[in-house]
Amino acid sequence: MKGSAFSKWLSLAFTSPLVYVELVAAVLVLVGWIVSWYFELSGAAKLLVWMVPLTILVTSAIVGFCYATYSLLSQDERGSGVTRVASGLPSGARPCIRFLGWEATEAPLISPQGREMQITERPWLTRLTFANEPDLPTSDLMAHKVAGHVEFYDASRDSFFFGMVGQWSSDVEGETDTIAVSQIDISSDATPYYLNLVLKYDVDEECYGINNDTAVRAPADWRDEKRKLGQGLYTVKVMLHGTNVAETFWFGLINRGIGQRVRILQIST
């Protein structure tokens, strides 16, 4: 560390604004010495020829060393200030969104737009559970304006089927309450928040991607044909973005067909 600081000091000293003066003075000293030796000058003539340039060289070098010392001290003071500010921040001072699990619950009968489903059998809603669990759970670490973008692929991730903006929901007095927003604030007290994925009827082989515009795209029964997934295994990519939040999660989605509910398995990237 000391060697590095000394090298930096020398570098600053010989790259100061006076470096060109030093170079010219050094050349004049050399030329003056050669001239005084060749012509055997003495006295005042000798002083004028090479002693004056030597004085200029020494003076400019001293000024350069002073400049380098001042520059290093100034940088240390600025660096110390940054360190103090940074060290004043608590560790883990960011929201921390974690995946807690998944569940299949009865779907709401009323859409976010207030429309009632025209059905005789209530479908199942498969959703993911997330929570904000920072190391220091303070109100300042609430995750603001978190939106979820969901993409569906085949099992090998080679074929992309469709993507959609996620739909958040929460439980209120034991009933599923759909929040008709694409963004949500997630508190830092580990309260669970739910991101809806698919809707499935027991009588169907297929399941259907669901979000806030499903009731507009398929108002009668929410079976959105453009977001239909047949029986099989799929890969789901969930990207959560918000203020100081950028998280990506991967899941396996298993649709086992008629009479079976959709299952979810978290997988690595």
Side-chain angles (χ1 to χ4, degrees):
M1 183 66 70
K2 291 182 178 179
S4 176
F6 181 71
S7 299
K8 188 174 182 180
W9 179 75
L10 285 179
S11 176
L12 287 171
F14 290 102
T15 56
S16 69
L18 295 176
V19 65
Y20 298 108
V21 176
E22 295 171 1
L23 290 175
V24 173
V27 172
L28 290 177
V29 168
L30 180 61
V31 172
W33 182 83
I34 294 174
V35 170
S36 64
W37 171 79
Y38 184 80
F39 292 101
E40 298 182 352
L41 299 178
S42 61
K46 184 177 182 179
L47 290 176
L48 289 174
V49 170
W50 70 277
M51 291 297 290
V52 171
L54 179 61
T55 302
I56 296 174
L57 175 62
V58 172
T59 302
S60 59
I62 293 174
V63 173
F65 292 145
C66 293
Y67 169 80
T69 303
Y70 173 78
S71 297
L72 281 179
L73 290 176
S74 298
Q75 291 176 8
D76 288 343
E77 289 178 0
R78 290 193 297 269
S80 298
V82 172
T83 302
R84 285 193 293 270
V85 172
S87 63
L89 295 174
S91 61
R94 293 174 62 89
C96 182
I97 307 299
R98 302 182 189 275
F99 170 68
L100 301 184
W102 66 276
E103 64 180 24
T105 185
E106 289 187 326
L109 297 178
I110 305 296
S111 75
Q113 294 80 11
R115 300 174 182 174
E116 186 173 357
M117 295 177 68
Q118 304 300 315
I119 57 173
T120 57
E121 179 187 4
R122 192 166 185 171
W124 292 96
L125 179 67
T126 300
R127 59 187 188 176
L128 307 175
T129 307
F130 294 97
N132 181 14
E133 299 180 345
D135 295 334
L136 300 173
T138 66
S139 58
D140 293 336
L141 296 182
M142 174 179 285
H144 294 282
K145 298 181 179 180
V146 180
H149 186 77
V150 186
E151 296 179 349
F152 293 84
Y153 300 83
D154 66 351
S156 60
R157 308 182 195 177
D158 293 328
S159 298
F160 171 76
F161 294 128
F162 62 89
M164 62 185 186
V165 177
Q167 179 191 64
W168 293 100
S169 63
S170 63
D171 281 346
V172 178
E173 297 181 357
E175 296 183 1
T176 302
D177 176 39
T178 301
I179 303 174
V181 293
S182 58
Q183 296 179 340
I184 194 171
D185 293 337
I186 301 180
S187 61
S188 58
D189 57 2
T191 298
Y193 292 81
Y194 305 96
L195 188 69
N196 298 336
L197 279 187
V198 293
L199 186 81
K200 187 179 185 302
Y201 291 83
D202 284 339
V203 297
D204 289 347
E205 178 180 294
E206 302 85 1
C207 62
Y208 302 85
I210 183 173
N211 71 349
N212 282 338
D213 59 7
T214 296
V216 177
R217 296 162 59 100
D221 54 14
W222 298 4
R223 289 180 171 99
D224 188 345
E225 292 294 323
K226 293 185 178 180
R227 294 174 178 169
K228 180 170 63 175
L229 299 171
Q231 183 175 346
L233 176 63
Y234 302 89
T235 300
V236 181
K237 181 181 181 181
V238 176
M239 294 165 285
L240 301 182
H241 296 280
T243 304
N244 291 327
V245 174
E247 301 287 349
T248 299
F249 301 87
W250 291 88
F251 303 95
L253 184 151
I254 307 171
N255 179 11
R256 297 180 294 173
I258 296 175
Q260 302 292 326
R261 299 173 192 172
V262 172
R263 299 182 63 84
I264 300 294
L265 175 67
Q266 186 177 20
I267 58 179
S268 62
T269 57

